[in-house]
Amino acid sequence: MNKIFLLPVSLLSLLVAFPVVAAENEYDKNSDILNLKEIELPATNAELLTQQPAENEVEQEPELEEDLTPVNDADIFIEVIGEKDVIPESTPTYVIEKEEIQKQGATSVADVLKRMPGFAINDVGHGADIHTGTYYRGASINQSVFLINGRQINTNISTYHGGTDLNSIPIEAIERVELYSGTASSLYGSSAFGGVVNIITKAGYGKPKLNASAEFGSLNLNNQQVTYGGSANNVKYNFSFERFFIDNRYSVPVGAANRDSQGFLSNADTATSTYFGSIGVDLDSKNSLNLDVTALSSRRGLIYFGFPLQRDRLDHDGLNIGLSWKTRLGKGENSNLTTTLGYNRDYFSTYGPTGATFYRTGVLDTQQFKTRIDHEWKMTTNNQLRWGLDLKNTDLIGDVLSTNPSLIAKNEKEDRSVFNTALFAVNTWKINDALQADLGVRQNFDSQFGSYFNPSFGLRYAVNPAVAVRGSWAGAQRNPGLDQLYVFDTVHNWNPNPDLKPETGSTWTAGVDVKLSQNLLGQFTYFGNSLDNRLGVINGKWENIGLVDTNGLEAALQLKIAREWSTFLNYTYTDAQIKTGTEKGLQLGLIPYSLLQTGIGYQNNGWQANLYATYNSGSRRSIFSRNIPGERSTDFAPSFFNLDFSGRIPVNKNLGLTFYLENILGEQYERVNRIYSPGFTFRVGLTSSL
């Protein structure tokens, strides 16, 4: 068996020699079960409340379809910056489009993800602290892979400083967000215990267009966005800017995290400026170039997992650049080669007082260079192979300083690098009209942890025209971050450990897609993962502390009531049980057992109304208790129920009034770990399009 693991090239050859799954666009040719991406309003497509225009409605942007193809050359087609990804279908795929993002009133990627099945987002408030926990199917944000236009943006740092800042991409720049798992981990990285989140950005099209919005609301919220995009001849372009501020200062009950002497939530303010630009150039009928650039400047206070009073500040400056070249090697779309170059820099600086006289700072400065070669090859009508190469070099400079005499010995400057190479392949084979299979492999070569092999496979079978069953399994390995290995954490006085082992294990899903009626679609998924050598802190030092087994159920239903009305329901049950150590038998902290979200929406002639409901069963308070007799850190926060309402009122063809009423029941529930919601809040704004 070990010899097999050392022969990835042979496995790749086997994938070519023995095809295993049908090309996506050939799937189920003779079956009434559609590809999930082909269903107009699928349960697996989280365009939750998005409606098609009614027959008597006037399209708001009729010129878009007219301008998609250049008039002077019918053979030339300008590529969208972020195309829908070609991935296996043995695991569910969820997609939220820009229209639904707008309806939700999302102010960050975190706001978008919390409407998707399986996600528990434990942030303080809009745009606020990203470090209070993001979990997907029980896996943390660092155990998932985040992409922008198919290019990984996770850096090799893992602690509270923020390996992935979900506030770092302007919402106005996002075309859609895709979520998938299973064999997709072979394509994008072995660390995807949770899933793969792909953020697809907008590309300009048609006549130049200017969109702008201004929004104001509770807690001194102030948000302005501007986007300008279009196309000219063989060039597409889109530029976005977003400025966001909120102070998140509101009264909180006694015992709440970060409650100041006046009874208000303290140190939760956020100010960000984000910039995005993309340019796509069609060189000829077979070649196109795409460039996208994202820049972030962020200043915020830290509220970390419910500590009684944390006064540390976090500055985050980020730059992400990607250049991709797509070449059509064959006729049509049978053979596409995409070469991508990427650069990512994240500069995290934390600083703050440790008491009346002492001060501390901590800097994590990460630079990452990436190259990816990705070939999609439809070898036969029943066989499609996607294979390629990933190269990634990460350099981390960690600089820590404390004036506390007891910590001066920890002051240091670390400069560490890690280089990772990976060969990947996923083969898709249409065995017959009803059955398809996926087989994936990923061979990694890491300068820190050597070589390791991660396979994956999946099946999907159409039982009849109304029911399809599916399943997947994938091996995974997540390596410790360079900061956990080498850099002292000045905020929590956590010591690094260069002897840490990688977290290893596997993930799996089993589910059924059901077309209950023409307008009612459902998807039900059992999921699980087993994670050994999980990382945690014992006595102020990073350690491998044990095994966690996660099992759960996901349900996604969507009903189209009428042409102007639709509704959805997402439910997730997650049992993430600690199997070893002092917390054996306990649920992982900050992860609710049950999370339900549902909504109903109406849209007609520019008018919109959307009502969202959320139920959270409450999560375990894992770190902070108030030292009250009988209260323990193993207790669960109370469950809560929340209602949000949003709408749009058209003023004229190019101007609309938007409003968002959040937590309209006004209950100040405990969001997570002694962090409380502000109660009822509102936002109002104007959107224009010229």
Side-chain angles (χ1 to χ4, degrees):
M1 181 63 69
N2 292 334
K3 292 182 180 180
I4 294 177
F5 286 178
L6 296 176
L7 294 175
V9 176
S10 299
L11 287 172
L12 294 178
S13 301
L14 287 173
L15 288 172
V16 177
F18 300 98
V20 269
V21 179
E24 182 176 347
N25 58 4
E26 292 291 324
Y27 174 69
D28 272 352
K29 200 173 200 176
N30 299 317
S31 172
D32 291 333
I33 292 258
L34 298 176
N35 179 317
L36 291 179
K37 298 176 183 177
E38 297 174 344
I39 301 175
E40 183 180 4
L41 288 172
T44 55
N45 184 327
E47 297 173 338
L48 304 179
L49 304 181
T50 301
Q51 297 286 322
Q52 298 297 322
E55 294 180 1
N56 59 351
E57 264 186 80
V58 177
E59 294 281 357
Q60 294 183 0
E61 298 177 350
E63 74 276 11
L64 300 186
E65 293 185 2
E66 299 174 3
D67 295 324
L68 286 176
T69 304
V71 176
N72 296 330
D73 191 343
D75 295 328
I76 296 179
F77 177 77
I78 300 177
E79 284 299 320
V80 176
I81 290 292
E83 297 181 53
K84 286 196 174 181
D85 211 352
V86 179
I87 58 171
E89 297 165 8
S90 51
T91 52
T93 299
Y94 303 99
V95 180
I96 289 188
E97 302 283 356
K98 59 184 178 182
E99 293 83 6
E100 176 58 26
I101 294 173
Q102 179 189 21
K103 291 180 184 180
Q104 294 175 5
T107 60
S108 68
V109 175
D111 283 345
V112 177
L113 295 179
K114 70 183 181 183
R115 299 293 185 190
M116 287 185 163
F119 265 99
I121 307 292
N122 301 324
D123 56 359
V124 177
H126 291 294
D129 186 1
I130 61 173
H131 313 107
T132 47
T134 295
Y135 298 89
Y136 178 60
R137 294 178 175 173
S140 74
I141 189 173
N142 293 308
Q143 293 163 340
S144 299
V145 174
F146 285 77
L147 313 169
I148 179 169
N149 299 327
R151 186 178 69 255
Q152 187 172 346
I153 58 176
N154 298 63
T155 56
N156 194 247
I157 56 176
S158 300
T159 60
Y160 73 97
H161 297 80
T164 305
D165 189 341
L166 298 183
N167 300 290
S168 63
I169 299 171
I171 287 296
E172 186 59 35
I174 297 175
E175 178 73 20
R176 64 186 176 278
V177 177
E178 302 173 345
L179 170 64
Y180 29 78
S181 56
T183 47
S185 62
S186 293
L187 295 174
Y188 291 116
S190 61
S191 60
F193 278 95
V196 177
V197 176
N198 193 10
I199 302 164
I200 305 298
T201 58
K202 294 178 181 177
Y205 46 81
K207 299 176 182 178
K209 196 168 189 179
L210 177 67
N211 294 294
S213 66
E215 187 178 68
F216 303 90
S218 304
L219 310 178
N220 288 319
L221 182 142
N222 187 331
N223 185 17
Q224 296 87 39
Q225 301 183 47
V226 177
T227 297
Y228 181 75
S231 63
N233 296 324
N234 299 335
V235 178
K236 286 184 177 181
Y237 53 90
N238 186 71
F239 304 99
S240 299
F241 169 74
E242 180 178 5
R243 178 186 177 275
F244 180 90
F245 173 79
I246 190 170
D247 67 12
N248 278 311
R249 181 169 172 78
Y250 52 88
S251 177
V252 292
V254 174
N258 261 47
R259 185 179 190 267
D260 65 17
S261 59
Q262 296 177 314
F264 288 88
L265 182 66
S266 174
N267 201 47
D269 58 291
T270 293
T272 62
S273 295
T274 50
Y275 306 82
F276 171 80
S278 67
I279 298 176
V281 182
D282 200 8
L283 303 177
D284 55 39
S285 60
K286 290 183 175 292
N287 294 276
S288 60
L289 280 176
N290 296 306
L291 172 69
D292 64 85
V293 180
T294 307
L296 164 74
S297 178
S298 170
R299 305 292 180 262
R300 58 167 55 92
L302 280 178
I303 300 182
Y304 179 64
F305 291 126
F307 281 175
L309 183 59
Q310 183 163 337
R311 292 177 289 176
D312 290 86
R313 306 291 299 175
L314 170 66
D315 294 350
H316 177 201
D317 295 306
L319 176 65
N320 190 286
I321 303 173
L323 176 66
S324 63
W325 172 24
K326 181 173 180 178
T327 303
R328 295 176 178 82
L329 301 179
K331 295 182 179 179
E333 295 293 327
N334 288 339
S335 180
N336 294 319
L337 179 67
T338 303
T339 303
T340 303
L341 300 176
Y343 170 78
N344 187 60
R345 184 180 185 185
D346 283 296
Y347 181 89
F348 292 96
S349 174
T350 55
Y351 51 92
T354 60
T357 58
F358 305 132
Y359 193 81
R360 62 187 172 203
T361 63
V363 171
L364 294 179
D365 187 359
T366 306
Q367 294 191 70
Q368 198 169 73
F369 294 89
K370 292 161 282 189
T371 300
R372 179 179 175 91
I373 300 173
D374 192 335
H375 185 204
E376 299 169 9
W377 182 17
K378 184 179 178 182
M379 297 181 292
T380 69
T381 56
N382 292 332
N383 181 47
Q384 180 164 306
L385 173 67
R386 184 172 175 184
W387 67 284
L389 171 70
D390 274 330
L391 301 174
K392 180 172 66 175
N393 185 77
T394 307
D395 182 75
L396 171 65
I397 296 177
D399 193 353
V400 298
L401 173 67
S402 176
T403 61
N404 188 332
S406 64
L407 296 176
I408 288 178
K410 305 288 186 180
N411 294 343
E412 62 173 342
K413 186 170 184 177
E414 294 279 353
D415 189 347
R416 300 284 180 167
S417 297
V418 60
F419 182 74
N420 184 278
T421 304
L423 295 169
F424 63 87
V426 173
N427 204 79
T428 304
W429 179 27
K430 181 180 178 181
I431 300 172
N432 56 44
D433 289 339
L435 180 63
Q436 70 172 18
D438 311 313
L439 177 61
V441 293
R442 188 176 183 91
Q443 177 67 57
N444 298 271
F445 305 91
D446 190 274
S447 63
Q448 191 87 37
F449 294 99
S451 63
Y452 48 96
F453 176 77
N454 298 111
S456 64
F457 63 85
L459 291 170
R460 191 171 190 274
Y461 177 68
V463 179
N464 57 48
V467 178
V469 295
R470 52 181 164 70
S472 69
W473 178 92
Q477 173 170 322
R478 174 183 169 258
N479 300 327
L482 289 173
D483 57 335
Q484 294 171 311
L485 291 165
Y486 301 114
V487 183
F488 177 67
D489 181 342
T490 61
V491 173
H492 309 105
N493 296 337
W494 291 344
N495 291 286
N497 183 354
D499 298 321
L500 292 174
K501 299 176 182 178
E503 297 174 330
T504 57
S506 58
T507 67
W508 55 89
T509 67
V512 57
D513 302 329
V514 183
K515 188 175 181 180
L516 300 172
S517 71
Q518 187 65 32
N519 296 322
L520 179 59
L521 302 167
Q523 182 170 35
F524 307 91
T525 303
Y526 164 77
F527 63 85
N529 64 67
S530 181
L531 173 64
D532 200 7
N533 289 324
R534 73 181 181 96
L535 295 170
V537 177
I538 299 178
N539 297 323
K541 184 179 181 179
W542 282 103
E543 300 282 1
N544 294 104
I545 60 175
L547 173 69
V548 175
D549 283 347
T550 300
N551 293 276
L553 294 172
E554 237 173 48
L557 293 169
Q558 185 166 18
L559 172 64
K560 187 175 180 182
I561 304 172
R563 189 161 185 82
E564 292 84 11
W565 293 85
S566 68
T567 185
F568 79 97
L569 184 147
N570 295 328
Y571 172 76
T572 305
Y573 175 82
T574 306
D575 180 10
Q577 188 175 133
I578 301 170
K579 293 294 186 179
T580 58
T582 58
E583 295 185 334
K584 181 179 178 180
L586 294 177
Q587 172 86 340
L588 274 179
L590 314 178
I591 301 173
Y593 278 112
S594 291
L595 185 63
L596 181 145
Q597 294 185 324
T598 186
I600 185 169
Y602 173 82
Q603 176 173 307
N604 189 20
N605 290 323
W607 294 80
Q608 293 178 9
N610 306 283
L611 180 66
Y612 299 95
T614 300
Y615 169 77
N616 187 309
S617 66
S619 58
R620 184 168 69 88
R621 302 185 189 116
S622 62
I623 295 178
F624 167 54
S625 65
R626 296 178 294 178
N627 297 319
I628 294 177
E631 185 174 89
R632 302 163 298 173
S633 61
T634 55
D635 291 342
F636 276 73
S639 62
F640 62 84
F641 178 78
N642 181 49
L643 286 175
D644 299 327
F645 184 74
S646 68
R648 181 182 187 274
I649 301 172
V651 178
N652 57 42
K653 180 181 179 181
N654 298 317
L655 185 66
L657 173 67
T658 60
F659 61 89
Y660 306 94
L661 309 178
E662 294 157 312
N663 195 2
I664 58 179
L665 298 179
E667 179 185 357
Q668 193 171 32
Y669 53 82
E670 182 179 348
R671 190 187 301 270
V672 66
N673 226 60
R674 297 299 179 191
I675 297 173
Y676 289 81
S677 75
F680 172 76
T681 60
F682 70 90
R683 292 180 283 148
V684 294
L686 287 173
T687 62
S688 63
S689 177
L690 301 175

